[in-house]
Amino acid sequence: MRAIQITEFGGPEVLTLTELPDPEPGAGELLVEVSRAGVNYADTHQAENSYLAPASLPLVPGMEIAGRTANGRRVVALTSSGGYAEKAVTAEPMAFEIPEGVSDEDALALIVQGATAWVLLRKSVRLEPGESVVVHAAGGGVGTLAVQLAKSFGAGRIIAVAGSEDKRKLALELGADATVDSSAADMTEALVEANGGKRVDTVLDMVGGRVTDESVRALAPFGRLAFYGMASRELPSPIQPSNLMRFSTTVGGMWLPHVWQLPGNVMKQAMDELFAMVAEGSLRPIQGGTYPLSEAREAHEALRSRTTVGKLVLDTRA
């Protein structure tokens, strides 16, 4: 089968198209003939071995797949690796049936980015009706869905932060009430101004560095910031407990794999709600581009440039 393989860690240049044997499923696993593979920021960290879960070589990257099983089931699934290939293996609990009315591309937008936005709002910041929410990287895969979900969940004011006029315009079309340029010299001041002069209640942050530090300083009493990525590849300053007490603020992290450890099958709850919203037309995954499998390098370059909008996917048949 054709696959993208990494034999040394690094940037997009280490992604190489090659021929490999078909993977063999073990007990409790499914072999999926992949039609589309999702691309996300975690993949770029996996390629350079800077992800939360250490990688080993050689490696076929990719953690999101959509396609059909041997018995014809149409599924979207998560894998620890191996997604950038014509065939991949996934654990049965990590696979979800794609309902009618939902495309493979839309399903891939939901399995990580959609579920991440849902968990951030429902579990991490526990958004209450009427509260303000800041969505950083609002033009990205998570951001475009988080803006829409926040609206559906009753947010009082949605502030979308993005780096281009087109992305900010899209956020407004998706339901944001105000926008902020991500290059703002003082993010604290910009967020407070966008919230009508008041500090904000909740922040979804996947940027890191200065943006995180200044977003924390924009939180209102009992405000919450959920940190779920580091697109800037810059670490924020260490959090001082005394500073949290100053405004009774909460800063937490979220990594989607931990959702499987929660009682009540939270991931299934998220996927069921997201699938239903897409099928009925109340949630619109934004597709940012489909690349042939052979152009995985170009997809990573585009993603790392932070100029893309919505969800990027690889067509494993092209």
Side-chain angles (χ1 to χ4, degrees):
M1 67 171 188
R2 294 188 312 144
I4 297 295
Q5 188 179 56
I6 294 172
T7 57
E8 60 178 326
F9 293 119
E13 72 281 354
V14 303
L15 302 176
T16 303
L17 183 68
T18 189
E19 288 283 339
L20 294 175
D22 290 356
E24 295 288 338
E29 292 183 327
L30 298 172
L31 178 64
V32 178
E33 187 169 336
V34 180
S35 63
R36 298 288 190 275
V39 181
N40 67 39
Y41 266 101
D43 299 344
T44 70
H45 285 290
Q46 190 180 51
E48 63 187 16
N49 202 23
S50 61
Y51 194 48
L52 292 174
S56 58
L57 298 174
L59 170 72
V60 175
M63 294 176 269
E64 314 162 11
I65 57 173
R68 290 192 181 272
T69 63
N71 62 0
R73 292 169 56 198
R74 185 164 160 257
V75 300
V76 62
L78 294 176
T79 66
S80 58
S81 62
Y84 291 8
E86 292 178 319
K87 294 181 181 179
V89 167
T90 183
E92 177 74 43
M94 300 290 185
F96 300 87
E97 303 279 347
I98 303 175
E100 291 296 322
V102 179
S103 68
D104 287 359
E105 290 84 356
D106 285 351
L108 283 170
L110 300 179
I111 189 70
V112 170
Q113 280 92 344
T116 294
W118 190 97
V119 172
L120 286 167
L121 291 166
R122 292 288 201 204
K123 296 293 183 180
S124 297
V125 301
R126 298 182 182 273
L127 182 70
E128 296 284 347
E131 288 188 318
S132 56
V133 56
V134 173
V135 180
H136 284 292
V142 175
T144 53
L145 292 166
V147 167
Q148 296 176 73
L149 289 175
K151 193 77 170 181
S152 295
F153 297 167
R157 188 167 178 82
I158 302 167
I159 301 163
V161 184
S164 73
E165 185 176 347
D166 285 346
K167 289 183 179 182
R168 294 191 291 274
K169 180 181 178 181
L170 174 62
L172 292 172
E173 293 172 358
L174 294 176
D177 300 291
T179 63
V180 169
D181 190 330
S182 61
S183 65
D186 186 332
M187 187 59 66
T188 303
E189 180 181 340
L191 294 180
V192 171
E193 181 180 349
N195 198 37
K198 298 183 294 184
R199 291 178 175 273
V200 299
D201 297 309
T202 63
V203 176
L204 310 185
D205 175 30
M206 59 84 67
V207 180
R210 174 185 70 88
V211 167
T212 303
D213 296 336
E214 296 180 1
S215 296
V216 169
R217 290 197 284 272
L219 288 172
F222 293 98
R224 291 90 67 200
L225 180 144
F227 183 76
Y228 67 99
M230 198 169 60
S232 70
R233 285 171 164 75
E234 299 174 359
L235 287 173
S237 302
I239 298 293
Q240 298 296 326
S242 59
N243 289 337
L244 297 179
M245 289 178 62
R246 185 181 179 193
F247 286 105
S248 298
T249 50
T250 299
V251 176
M254 199 284 283
W255 190 31
L256 194 62
H258 291 145
V259 172
W260 271 267
Q261 299 177 26
L262 295 175
N265 203 342
V266 170
M267 186 66 177
K268 186 176 186 305
Q269 293 177 39
M271 293 305 294
D272 285 349
E273 185 172 355
L274 293 167
F275 278 145
M277 293 177 73
V278 171
E280 71 186 18
S282 61
L283 181 65
R284 177 165 66 100
I286 304 300
Q287 297 300 327
T290 299
Y291 293 75
L293 181 63
S294 60
E295 295 181 9
R297 178 183 304 185
E298 286 80 357
H300 274 223
E301 289 171 346
L303 195 61
R304 290 182 63 146
S305 72
R306 296 184 65 189
T307 59
T308 62
V309 174
K311 181 64 182 172
L312 304 187
V313 300
L314 298 178
D315 182 350
T316 61
R317 300 169 181 173

